[in-house]
């Protein structure tokens, strides 16, 4: 059984990460079980293990935190649902690629609850939506915007960090970074797509689709 915890307010980043690491260490020791934390952070940027400092275009805009998760620079802030997934892959799947695929699938199926088609793209981690409502790119191809990011770390096959989905963040806050090192595509949110989705709505969908995806993994 996964224990779901929803944190109210804006969770301070350093304290939350420290508490998450402590929980994972206790999981490794067999003292506690799996948990998923649903939360929002105050505006900030995080630098993953593959980040390039040139992608931090406005370093003074928000606090910047080095993090041990995979990936590059990303943004967290109000209106974005972060789901930190502390799962025991020893009991699920000791396959990193399959686990990342499952996290992507979790997001895709969650978005489908709101009739949003989320898609994977080769070479681009995360989940994307095709913007048929926007003008074509200079190459004559449909515009694609990122709606969800994924970054994970494993410790003795126990996962931490996880996913984030844009519900209604201030999308201009992304201007201080090149999100995930990809400059040629934009970012979007459920509300930006014209859907009046609340954080509570998304949480219901996340819990519904989690069991469908991870019971199959």
């Amino acid at each position: 059984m996964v224990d779901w915890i929803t944190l109210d307010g804006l969770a301070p980043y350093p304290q939350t990460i420290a508490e998450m690491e402590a929980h994972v260490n206790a999981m490794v020791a067999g003292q506690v079980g799996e948990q998923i934390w649903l939360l929002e952070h105050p505006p900030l940027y995080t630098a993953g293990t593959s980040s390039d400092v040139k992608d931090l275009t406005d370093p003074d805009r928000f606090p910047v935190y080095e993090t041990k998760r995979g990936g590059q620079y990303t943004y967290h802030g109000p209106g974005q649902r972060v789901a930190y997934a502390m799962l025991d892959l020893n009991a699920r799947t000791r396959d990193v690629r399959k686990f990342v695929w499952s996290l992507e699938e979790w997001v895709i199926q969650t978005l489908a609850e709101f009739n949003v088609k989320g898609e994977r793209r080769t070479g681009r981690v995360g989940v994307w939506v095709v913007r048929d409502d926007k003008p074509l790119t200079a190459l004559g191809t449909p515009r694609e915007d990122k709606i969800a990011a994924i970054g994970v770390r494993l410790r003795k096959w126990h996962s931490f960090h996880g996913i984030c989905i844009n519900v209604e963040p201030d999308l201009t806050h992304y201007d201080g970074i090149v999100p995930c090192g990809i400059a040629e595509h934009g970012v979007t949110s459920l509300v930006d797509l014209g859907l009046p989705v609340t954080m509570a709505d998304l949480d219901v969908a996340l819990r519904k689709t989690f069991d469908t995806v991870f019971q199959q993994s």
Side-chain angles (χ1 to χ4, degrees):
M1 292 290 293
V2 177
D3 187 16
W4 291 74
I5 297 174
T6 302
L7 304 181
D8 295 327
L10 299 179
Y13 190 80
Q15 177 184 339
T16 305
I17 298 304
E19 291 174 355
M20 178 170 57
E21 294 232 11
H23 185 84
V24 170
N25 287 338
M27 287 178 65
V28 171
Q31 299 169 346
V32 296
E34 296 180 315
Q35 289 189 349
I36 293 177
W37 297 354
L38 301 176
L39 56 95
E40 296 172 79
H41 285 304
L44 58 93
Y45 299 131
T46 64
T49 55
S50 302
S51 59
D52 187 331
V53 68
K54 74 178 185 337
D55 291 333
L56 181 62
T57 57
D58 190 354
D60 298 323
R61 185 165 190 176
F62 298 124
V64 181
Y65 296 98
E66 301 287 333
T67 179
K68 297 177 182 178
R69 63 157 175 81
Q72 303 182 51
Y73 282 102
T74 195
Y75 166 78
H76 294 311
Q80 179 194 78
R81 176 53 91 209
V82 176
Y84 287 136
M86 288 155 276
L87 304 176
D88 181 1
L89 302 193
N90 292 293
R92 294 179 177 275
T93 174
R94 293 181 64 165
D95 183 327
V96 176
R97 289 187 179 181
K98 185 175 181 181
F99 178 58
V100 172
W101 183 95
S102 295
L103 291 173
E104 292 173 338
E105 187 66 17
W106 184 23
V107 173
I108 289 169
Q109 292 196 21
T110 298
L111 295 175
E113 292 290 305
F114 307 101
N115 296 314
V116 173
K117 185 179 180 181
E119 301 181 21
R120 298 176 178 86
R121 287 293 180 267
T122 302
R124 290 191 249 145
V125 176
V127 176
W128 302 78
V129 293
V130 176
R131 300 300 303 269
D132 292 327
D133 58 325
K134 300 289 185 179
L136 298 177
T137 68
L139 298 176
T141 57
R143 174 176 162 181
E144 296 177 354
D145 287 346
K146 191 170 190 175
I147 194 168
I150 295 170
V152 297
R153 183 173 172 81
L154 300 179
R155 180 170 297 156
K156 295 186 177 179
W157 293 104
H158 293 76
S159 71
F160 51 120
H161 297 279
I163 66 172
C164 59
I165 300 175
N166 288 342
V167 178
E168 192 179 8
D170 184 338
L171 296 177
T172 66
H173 288 181
Y174 281 90
D175 294 346
I177 58 172
V178 178
C180 300
I182 301 171
E184 62 270 27
H185 298 285
V187 291
T188 189
S189 68
L190 288 166
V191 171
D192 183 53
L193 293 173
L195 300 169
V197 177
T198 68
M199 202 66 73
D201 294 332
L202 184 70
D203 290 349
V204 170
L206 283 167
R207 295 186 69 147
K208 175 182 177 181
T209 57
F210 178 85
D211 288 338
T212 301
V213 172
F214 284 92
Q215 283 179 356
Q216 298 172 352
S217 63

